[in-house]
Amino acid sequence: MSTTDIAKRVHDHNWKLDPIVRSLLDTDFYKFLMLQLIWRRYRDVNVTFSVINRSQTVRLAEEIDEGELRSQLDYARSLRLGKKEWIWLAGNSFYGVKQIFEPEFLEWLKDFQLPPYELRKCDGQYCLDFHGPWTHTTMWEIPALAIINELRSRSVMKTMRRFELDVLYARAKAKLWSKVERLRQFPAIKIADFGARRRHSHLWQDWCVNALKEGLGSSFIGTSNVLLAMKSDLEAIGTNAHELPMAMAALAHTDTELREAPYKVLKDWQDMYGGNLLVVLPDAFGTRAFLHDAPDWVADWKGFRPDSAPPIEGGEEIIDWWRSKGQDPRRKLIVFSDGLDVEEIERVYRHFEGRVKMSFGWGTNLTNDFRGCAPSPTMDFDAISLVCKVTQVNGHAAVKLSDNPAKATGDPEEIKRYMRVFGTEGLVKRPVSV
């Protein structure tokens, strides 16, 4: 296949008009899976999502022009699902399941439009919020993050000349390819692209995905980006995310209901999906607490995705729990996905090889690793830790604890309440890079 001359495309950009998000499919696959569940069971719930920059030293409102940000957000709001895209969603098999999306849901999706946003500057940062029905605000998460991250990249590249751009991308391509070559030493490894939300740009994610497709062959199992999965004939990868237990917990009226919320949403998920989609995300309120109170039927699920504990420690804890439930870990799957790069992937793979099935969701350090690639050391291409989280549900504050308290979000008093209900065992504060 021919490859895009990214440096030329970037150099020739009309920066004011060139849209960053050009399709509603330019999002993570789990957004559509969760959206169908939300549409079926929780369409009357109102949810606010808010963008949070955990890299506070980076003052985004001083790096990104507000007018350009509004233009990109407005363009994303103008998008509708194309006929070809709709047909692909309706007719394609996902995770071995034909017609995973219900006809009624797909009919509703034909007219879907991203809802309005609220944008203001707050002490050098952008306060960007999305209020409204959960069925609509949920779909802002990935486009909003992709837009902000790419505008940050563009703000640096505006000052670069053509040959500087050539050097930048030549170094970044060589850097990524050296990672691909290191991963080739593990023929049985399974790698997926999880890099949409914090990517350097759409063009760069497209290049990275096709580089992995060619360089890793069958070891590259797909991408979370639905548009790129469709374009490159790849599997769309993804199951569920923290927003589900966060929203269920915020709807709880009592401490007992709060403690049961993570399992209630898994029951909802199991009722709608099955088989390969039964992967648990256990850390919204702490993995230790989740495993302690988890019903026995959770052990029958296909696997776990530990997302904020150190991967080896988190994986060992899950394996011990499976054994305590009479399960054979060698028949189970662990999806590692938190801040991975090639060194950590190698270390974790070697540690667990032969003991459990594994796959690796490679995100920011795949699609936005330009460290050391810029022609000038004053050009800052370092990725930042930018998230878009549920902050309110029907007017009630939402909370995420995580296994790493540095990633906790929510009202401080509510965080204290959640820690009282779920406990703090196993929560260890660690630096957050991406």
Side-chain angles (χ1 to χ4, degrees):
M1 60 170 290
S2 61
T3 58
T4 300
D5 184 340
I6 302 177
K8 184 178 187 305
R9 284 282 299 273
V10 169
H11 184 264
D12 295 344
H13 268 322
N14 182 328
W15 294 103
K16 290 185 177 180
L17 299 177
D18 195 41
I20 292 171
V21 174
R22 306 184 187 201
S23 167
L24 288 175
L25 294 189
D26 191 6
T27 191
D28 282 340
F29 184 55
Y30 68 11
K31 299 306 296 191
F32 285 104
L33 293 173
M34 291 191 295
L35 179 60
Q36 181 169 237
L37 174 65
I38 296 163
W39 173 82
R40 180 195 268 187
R41 294 179 181 262
Y42 301 103
R43 66 182 73 179
D44 296 328
V45 175
N46 285 296
V47 171
T48 295
F49 281 76
S50 302
V51 171
I52 302 167
N53 180 15
R54 297 190 295 217
S55 302
Q56 283 290 300
T57 57
V58 176
R59 297 170 67 84
L60 288 173
E62 296 173 6
E63 294 190 10
I64 296 172
D65 179 78
E66 182 177 346
E68 291 183 12
L69 177 54
R70 289 187 181 275
S71 294
Q72 295 292 341
L73 295 170
D74 290 341
Y75 185 85
R77 289 203 65 227
S78 73
L79 296 171
R80 301 293 187 278
L81 206 62
K83 184 177 180 181
K84 177 184 175 183
E85 298 170 336
W86 187 90
I87 291 171
W88 185 81
L89 281 177
N92 202 40
S93 294
F94 300 100
Y95 283 88
V97 180
K98 290 185 177 181
Q99 296 181 326
I100 200 169
F101 296 112
E102 300 173 356
E104 295 82 3
F105 169 70
L106 290 170
E107 281 297 318
W108 173 83
L109 201 59
K110 278 183 176 179
D111 298 320
F112 181 86
Q113 176 185 10
L114 289 168
Y117 59 88
E118 180 182 294
L119 177 67
R120 63 192 188 282
K121 291 182 178 180
C122 312
D123 190 26
Q125 302 294 341
Y126 281 115
C127 293
L128 178 56
D129 302 296
F130 309 100
H131 310 283
W134 192 7
T135 48
H136 287 68
T137 56
T138 182
M139 296 302 286
W140 258 122
E141 179 189 1
I142 309 303
L145 295 176
I147 286 169
I148 293 173
N149 277 293
E150 183 162 347
L151 283 177
R152 185 166 179 262
S153 299
R154 289 184 179 190
S155 71
V156 180
M157 292 190 296
K158 280 180 184 179
T159 64
M160 297 176 69
R161 293 168 294 182
R162 171 61 197 274
F163 280 94
E164 289 179 317
L165 290 167
D166 274 333
V167 170
L168 176 74
Y169 285 108
R171 289 175 176 173
K173 288 177 179 180
K175 187 176 187 180
L176 175 58
W177 197 252
S178 70
K179 297 180 184 183
V180 170
E181 290 175 329
R182 286 180 62 171
L183 293 172
R184 282 176 173 167
Q185 66 184 303
F186 308 106
I189 203 168
K190 302 298 180 187
I191 305 287
D193 158 46
F194 278 17
R197 67 189 59 218
R198 297 195 191 107
R199 68 195 183 196
H200 166 81
S201 71
H202 174 77
L203 285 175
W204 181 245
Q205 185 185 15
D206 192 357
W207 191 92
C208 292
V209 164
N210 282 288
L212 264 61
K213 181 179 180 181
E214 179 174 315
L216 293 180
S218 61
S219 288
F220 183 52
I221 59 174
T223 173
S224 67
N225 187 300
V226 186
L227 182 63
L228 295 182
M230 183 181 74
K231 285 175 56 179
S232 299
D233 192 25
L234 290 164
E235 290 291 329
I237 304 292
T239 53
N240 53 74
H242 294 112
E243 71 177 88
L244 295 181
M246 288 176 68
M248 289 303 96
L251 291 171
H253 297 291
T254 66
D255 287 355
T256 299
E257 290 181 359
L258 175 57
R259 193 175 294 109
E260 294 173 351
Y263 315 113
K264 180 181 185 301
V265 78
L266 290 185
K267 189 65 176 173
D268 289 344
W269 187 266
Q270 184 173 264
D271 290 344
M272 172 161 274
Y273 303 113
N276 292 329
L277 286 166
L278 297 183
V279 176
V280 183
L281 183 62
D283 69 319
F285 313 118
T287 298
R288 190 75 52 85
F290 178 93
L291 295 176
H292 183 271
D293 293 332
D296 288 343
W297 53 264
V298 176
D300 295 327
W301 278 37
K302 177 179 180 176
F304 274 71
R305 180 165 72 92
D307 191 54
S308 55
I312 288 179
E313 290 91 327
E316 291 289 358
E317 186 170 16
I318 291 165
I319 286 174
D320 288 344
W321 182 80
W322 273 325
R323 286 179 177 145
S324 75
K325 297 295 182 180
Q327 299 283 340
D328 181 357
R330 292 172 299 178
R331 301 175 64 87
K332 297 293 186 178
L333 171 70
I334 299 181
V335 181
F336 297 100
S337 62
D338 182 31
L340 298 176
D341 207 353
V342 65
E343 295 84 1
E344 188 77 335
I345 293 172
E346 287 184 13
R347 187 174 75 94
V348 174
Y349 184 80
R350 290 182 191 276
H351 181 86
F352 288 109
E353 187 176 11
R355 300 174 56 207
V356 68
K357 297 177 182 178
M358 289 176 278
S359 69
F360 296 87
W362 196 6
T364 309
N365 289 315
L366 167 64
T367 61
N368 200 356
D369 184 7
F370 281 70
R371 291 167 293 183
C373 297
S376 168
T378 62
M379 296 176 178
D380 182 11
F381 282 100
D382 288 359
I384 61 174
S385 184
L386 193 71
V387 295
C388 184
K389 292 294 182 185
V390 175
T391 49
Q392 282 200 337
V393 182
N394 281 354
H396 302 289
V399 168
K400 179 192 173 191
L401 293 182
S402 156
D403 288 321
N404 180 0
K407 290 187 172 183
T409 61
D411 177 78
E413 290 303 313
E414 279 297 286
I415 288 176
K416 289 180 183 178
R417 174 183 169 232
Y418 277 58
M419 286 184 169
R420 173 177 58 79
V421 171
F422 291 103
T424 59
E425 189 178 357
L427 307 188
V428 179
K429 193 169 185 178
R430 303 176 186 88
V432 177
S433 57
V434 293

